[in-house]
Amino acid sequence: LFFQSILATNETTREFFQEKIKELFEIAARRTLNGATVVILGAAYKAGTDQITESPVLGLVEWLVSKGVKEIRIYDPLAIENMKNWVEARRFYGVEFEYFSSEPLKAMRDVDIAIYGTPLEKLTLLSLPAVKEALGEAILFDGVNLYGIPGDEASTPSLRGVREAGINYVSFGGRPIGPRFEVYSDLTTRVETEYFPADKPLPVESQERLRVGVFGAGYVGLVTAALLAKWHDVVLYDIDRKRITD
């Protein structure tokens, strides 16, 4: 039952991110995902491996296909052959796929949406002005919080750098930033009421503070724990001591 709960939570997290991509793209672009060109940067289950079996990117690709996107590009320095074989085995109809094992900036050009799917070191080494130049007005959805979380300006690169570069950017669990979102006067209000604002009270029936355990202090676990801690007492567990002490 415990592990079933973890799997259910993971599925809910993925659905939340997918819905965020859909809604914020429609707000900024004033169109649906149908006919869009998308690049996914990082496809492996984790950085440094070519394994994709448990990768959330697989479900993301299936979801994008179901939304009618026109083209999906996939970049990964190690897992690209496994991704290519996986895609070809499913014979997705009506979608063009293109694969990159190098040149992530080239993969980003002329897309509507870019998505970070794995925290690849090669992505952190890209200069933010170069990322902006490649993306243009495209929206970057960061599923792994590669540039840190709000308030964490020690990360390199940081969210401050993303903002200064003028990238249209949405982190996992964070608020959208960038010039493409600023033209909508109601966006801030919508995001504050829908995406975990710091001052949003709990519903009356949920005022009791709970003791919550979060297993895994990686990108998703850390953000999840930080959000839950606004309303509950959270204990964060990880087998890597440095993730806790640092």
Side-chain angles (χ1 to χ4, degrees):
L1 182 60
F2 173 73
F3 288 105
Q4 288 177 342
S5 298
I6 292 178
L7 292 174
T9 300
N10 288 342
E11 184 63 28
T12 300
T13 300
R14 294 171 189 175
E15 290 175 355
F16 166 79
F17 188 57
Q18 291 169 2
E19 185 59 30
K20 194 170 188 180
I21 292 172
K22 176 181 178 294
E23 180 170 349
L24 291 181
F25 176 74
E26 290 178 353
I27 290 174
R30 296 186 177 181
R31 50 169 288 197
T32 68
L33 288 168
N34 187 58
T37 297
V38 181
V39 60
I40 301 173
L41 300 117
Y45 172 64
K46 62 180 180 179
T49 180
D50 64 353
Q51 297 302 304
I52 64 169
T53 304
E54 299 297 328
S55 174
V57 168
L58 305 184
L60 179 61
V61 169
E62 293 177 329
W63 178 77
L64 289 169
V65 171
S66 75
K67 295 302 176 184
V69 300
K70 176 182 68 176
E71 179 183 352
I72 298 176
R73 304 175 189 174
I74 302 173
Y75 162 79
D76 196 290
L78 297 177
I80 204 65
E81 285 302 318
N82 285 337
M83 276 302 302
K84 185 176 181 180
N85 292 336
W86 180 85
V87 169
E88 290 179 349
R90 275 143 190 83
R91 299 183 179 181
F92 293 117
Y93 178 75
V95 184
E96 180 181 346
F97 284 86
E98 189 172 0
Y99 306 93
F100 296 79
S101 59
S102 61
E103 299 185 277
L105 292 175
K106 180 180 178 181
M108 292 182 191
R109 295 188 183 278
D110 301 316
V111 301
D112 299 298
I113 295 172
I115 302 171
Y116 284 164
T118 308
L120 301 176
E121 182 180 6
K122 290 188 177 183
L123 296 178
T124 67
L125 298 176
L126 298 175
S127 77
L128 292 175
V131 171
K132 169 60 180 177
E133 193 277 331
L135 288 174
E137 296 305 308
I139 303 171
L140 173 56
F141 290 91
D142 187 351
V144 294
N145 286 347
L146 195 71
Y147 301 131
I149 59 177
D152 174 20
E153 300 301 343
S155 298
T156 305
S158 69
L159 288 177
R160 178 182 299 170
V162 172
R163 186 178 293 106
E164 291 173 350
I167 298 171
N168 297 298
Y169 176 82
V170 183
S171 63
F172 185 91
R175 301 178 181 183
I177 59 176
R180 200 163 182 186
F181 294 107
E182 293 173 358
V183 297
Y184 300 98
S185 60
D186 67 333
L187 178 62
T188 300
T189 301
R190 291 191 63 182
V191 172
E192 286 179 347
T193 56
E194 294 176 21
Y195 297 113
F196 305 107
D199 58 349
K200 182 179 179 181
L202 287 171
V204 174
E205 65 270 20
S206 305
Q207 288 293 338
E208 180 183 358
R209 291 184 68 87
L210 303 177
R211 185 170 173 82
V212 180
V214 176
F215 291 82
Y219 289 94
V220 175
L222 182 61
V223 174
T224 301
L227 293 171
L228 289 172
K230 296 174 183 177
W231 305 304
H232 302 293
D233 299 319
V234 177
V235 179
L236 185 60
Y237 300 87
D238 198 286
I239 60 174
D240 186 344
R241 180 181 294 272
K242 291 183 63 177
R243 285 185 172 180
I244 302 297
T245 57
D246 290 351

